[in-house]
Structures are given as structure tokens and as C-alpha cells.
Amino acid sequence: MKFQKLIEDRKRFFWILHFSGWFGFALVHYIGSFMNDMRDIYVFIIISNAWFGALLTIPLRYLYQRIWERSPWFLITVILSASYVVGLIWVVMQNFTYWEFYKFGYRPDAWYWYFRNSLGGFYIILCWSGLYFGIKYYQMLQKERQKALKASNMANEAQLKMLRYQLNPHFLFNTLNAISTLILCNENKIANGMVAKLSDFLRYSLHTDPIKKVQLKQEVKALTLYLEIEKIRFEESLVVTWSISESASNALVPSLLLQPLIENAIKYGIAAQSDGGTITIVAKTFGNDLLLEVSDDGPGLMASTSSTSKGEGVGIANIKDRLQTLYDDYSFSLSTNEPNGLKVNIRIPLEFESE
């Protein structure tokens, strides 16, 4: 059983620690007996003392459970009182066993000799009580940490789902308008093809778990569907260039991470020019990082910045939020694509599916 599961099983954990602790108590006293050259019968005295201590401290567990939620001062009073009483009883049993078996039935002259070393017994039982409360508080702290971690994970998952599904509706609206226009122009075959590709793309976006990452080659297939739809709209004015290295194709990326960037490139780069333009998508590995790049030869950074200032930069903000939620070490940058256009670079840790 793993240690964490053992801690969560409180009953099993208590009994293991309880008897292990008293076994350790007996072992320490046994090793110490060699220094005093004790007779062999002293081993029985040590075992009996540890056994009496283990039995007498068991009721303390149930007593402490009943007063667990009481005020601190009440707890301290009960702990001190109970530890002293149990320690006193334990000391009497120790002295009686020692005189009966090791001293051959010796009886002290005064009754109070049975309480000899009562302070030591009180101290050991008090240590047992302290360990009990310390371990119990540790278990409670671990449980609260697990609850907080679970709540944090649930919040992150909800945020990721919200961000993944926060795709720009302009794409869907424009595609439906294009299909409607094709139908009005009696271009039914092209419209049917467009509907089929739109259906495949939407099915991928809905069926892909927004929490899990996908292989880049799978993401490229989905982006190809998206770009084929856009090519029907823009015809020859949209040119797409892919440069995906073999080592990067199997790397894991957040699903639909690049789609908003490509959509922005089409909207602010290609559609803004009468003769269209080219979008270049690059993916490669460098050390322990995966480098992604989306660039266009449109108007450039100034046009994109002005659009963002008008509240149209949801896609870029979405990507930044997703990267920040998923990774501790990443980078996202916008720059000018020489001689003109916009370039977006993303660096994330290189990850692969575990076999």
C-alpha cells in the first residue's frame, strides 16, 4: 500500500504507528539494558512494560476523539490530566512487575514507592498524546490540501473549457453566409463540399477534450479542414505554406491553439488585401521546447494592433490565457514579418504521449 493511501486509511495508520511506537520503546530499553548488565528476565520486564503502555494508551484515542472539537484550553486540560492518570497507572504496573519478577516478589516498605518515576511515565504518555494530535492534525491538513488542489484543478479545467469554446463566431457566420451565397448562385456542389468540411471541423472541435492535449499532426488535420473552408471563400487569393518538422509532428499541443492565429491572419492579413496573401505555419523542436510560428504578408503589426484596441483581439487574449493556465514556462510574442506582415511565435515545453 502506498504511503499516501496509508495516511488516508486513518484506522490502519493509527494501529501501525501505535504498535510500531511501543515496539521502538521496547527496543530502545532493550539496547540500554546491555549497559547495565541486566539478567535475561529483564527482557520480559521490558516487553510487559511496552505492552501495558500500548494497552493503556488505546482508551486515550477514543477520549481524544470525543473532545476533538472542544476549545483549546479544555483540550489542554484533558490531555494533561489524562496523560498524568494513565502515566501513573502505567508506572504502578511497571514497578509491580519489576519487583514481582525481577526482585523475586520484593515489596517496598511504603506504599508510595509504587509511584516511583511517575513523572517519567507522565512524560512518555504526554509524548504519545502529542504525537497523536500532531499526526491527526497532519492528516487533516493533507485532506484540506487535497480538497484545495481538487478545487483548483476543477477551476482550471472549467477555465480551459471556457477558453477553448470561446472561438470567434465570425468564422461560423462567414462560412454560413458563403454557403448561402453559393446556394443562391446554384453552386450546390461547392456548397455541399463546404458544409461537409464545416461539419468535420465542428465535430473535431466539439469531440476533442479541451483539457487534454493532442498530437500536432492531428491538429494539422483539423486546421487543414478549416483552411479548405476558407480557401473556398477566398479562392486563389489565399495561399498556405506548411513547414512541420518530423520531430514536431508527434509533439503534444493544446487543441485548436493555432486556429485563432490563422483566423486573425486571414481576417486582418489576407482579407485586408485585394490580391490576398500567404500564410506560413512552421513547427519545429529546439532542445526541450516546441516552437510554433504563424506568419502572414498582410498589412502588419500596426493594423493588427489597431484592431485589437477596438476589442477584436479575443483570439490572441484567449491563447495567452490558455498558455498561462497550462504551462509555467512558455513564451508568446508578436513581431513584424519582414518585409511586411505579422508573425506570431509560441514556445512551449516539448511533450510526447507516454507509451
Side-chain angles (χ1 to χ4, degrees):
M1 180 180 290
K2 294 182 179 180
F3 183 70
Q4 187 61 38
K5 291 183 178 179
L6 181 62
I7 293 177
E8 294 173 359
D9 188 352
R10 295 187 177 185
K11 290 184 179 180
R12 183 183 177 89
F13 192 50
F14 168 79
W15 293 115
I16 291 176
L17 288 181
H18 179 71
F19 288 110
S20 297
W22 285 110
F23 175 79
F25 170 85
L27 184 62
V28 170
H29 279 73
Y30 174 72
I31 295 173
S33 67
F34 289 109
M35 300 182 64
N36 297 320
D37 195 22
M38 308 298 285
R39 300 199 311 270
D40 294 340
I41 190 63
Y42 193 70
V43 176
F44 171 77
I45 304 299
I46 294 173
I47 294 175
S48 62
N49 290 344
W51 181 247
F52 291 147
L55 291 179
L56 289 171
T57 48
I58 290 175
L60 289 180
R61 179 196 181 201
Y62 299 101
L63 172 65
Y64 294 156
Q65 286 179 343
R66 292 179 64 88
I67 65 171
W68 180 260
E69 296 181 356
R70 302 294 292 270
S71 64
W73 285 111
F74 183 84
L75 280 175
I76 292 173
T77 303
V78 172
I79 291 171
L80 291 175
S81 302
S83 297
Y84 183 76
V85 172
V86 172
L88 204 62
I89 297 172
W90 185 42
V91 163
V92 172
M93 297 176 72
Q94 287 185 70
N95 289 331
F96 178 81
T97 304
Y98 177 76
W99 288 325
E100 182 69 27
F101 294 97
Y102 196 79
K103 292 293 186 180
F104 307 106
Y106 168 79
R107 294 293 182 271
D109 297 332
W111 60 269
Y112 56 81
W113 277 95
Y114 283 99
F115 300 97
R116 187 185 66 172
N117 198 30
S118 59
L119 189 61
F122 166 67
Y123 174 75
I124 292 175
I125 302 300
L126 186 63
C127 288
W128 184 95
S129 300
L131 286 172
Y132 174 84
F133 276 89
I135 293 170
K136 195 169 181 67
Y137 275 117
Y138 173 77
Q139 288 178 319
M140 290 181 60
L141 180 61
Q142 289 296 104
K143 189 174 181 179
E144 291 300 319
R145 284 180 177 175
Q146 289 177 359
K147 288 182 179 179
L149 182 61
K150 185 177 180 180
S152 177
N153 288 338
M154 291 177 64
N156 285 339
E157 288 181 3
Q159 182 184 11
L160 284 173
K161 289 180 180 179
M162 178 193 69
L163 292 170
R164 233 298 304 276
Y165 293 141
Q166 193 188 50
L167 298 177
N168 195 333
H170 291 141
F171 157 67
L172 183 58
F173 296 155
N174 291 336
T175 303
L176 293 176
N177 286 333
I179 293 173
S180 176
T181 302
L182 289 171
I183 294 173
L184 290 175
C185 296
N186 294 322
E187 298 286 350
N188 295 334
K189 186 176 181 180
I190 299 176
N192 286 334
M194 202 168 185
V195 169
K197 289 180 173 61
L198 176 62
S199 176
D200 292 338
F201 178 76
L202 292 179
R203 186 181 298 111
Y204 172 82
S205 64
L206 291 175
H207 290 179
T208 305
D209 191 342
I211 305 302
K212 295 181 180 179
K213 298 167 186 174
V214 299
Q215 288 184 325
L216 182 60
K217 59 185 178 183
Q218 182 179 344
E219 190 73 0
V220 168
K221 291 181 180 179
L223 293 175
T224 301
L225 287 173
Y226 168 76
L227 287 167
E228 286 178 354
I229 296 171
E230 295 290 3
K231 282 184 178 181
I232 295 174
R233 288 178 54 210
F234 291 94
E235 297 180 347
E236 300 299 326
S237 61
L238 173 60
V239 179
V240 180
T241 302
W242 296 89
S243 178
I244 310 295
S245 69
E246 185 177 353
S247 58
S249 63
N250 293 321
L252 296 179
V253 296
S255 60
L256 297 182
L257 178 68
L258 300 180
Q259 189 271 340
L261 297 178
I262 297 174
E263 184 175 350
N264 278 352
I266 293 174
K267 185 175 181 180
Y268 302 121
I270 308 304
Q273 302 179 114
S274 58
D275 56 347
T278 301
I279 296 176
T280 303
I281 303 166
V282 179
K284 57 185 177 181
T285 59
F286 182 79
N288 295 323
D289 294 324
L290 174 65
L291 307 179
L292 303 172
E293 180 182 298
V294 177
S295 60
D296 62 73
D297 55 0
L301 189 60
M302 296 300 296
S304 208
T305 304
S306 62
S307 300
T308 303
S309 63
K310 295 176 183 178
E312 298 176 357
V314 176
I316 290 178
N318 181 297
I319 292 174
K320 288 182 177 179
D321 288 340
R322 291 180 69 192
L323 291 174
Q324 186 175 8
T325 304
L326 287 167
Y327 302 105
D328 293 326
D329 182 21
Y330 75 95
S331 66
F332 181 94
S333 63
L334 299 173
S335 60
T336 301
N337 183 30
E338 299 297 338
N340 62 310
L342 178 66
K343 181 190 297 183
V344 181
N345 292 96
I346 298 175
R347 177 186 59 81
I348 58 175
L350 184 60
E351 298 175 301
F352 296 98
E353 284 186 344
S354 56
E355 297 181 358

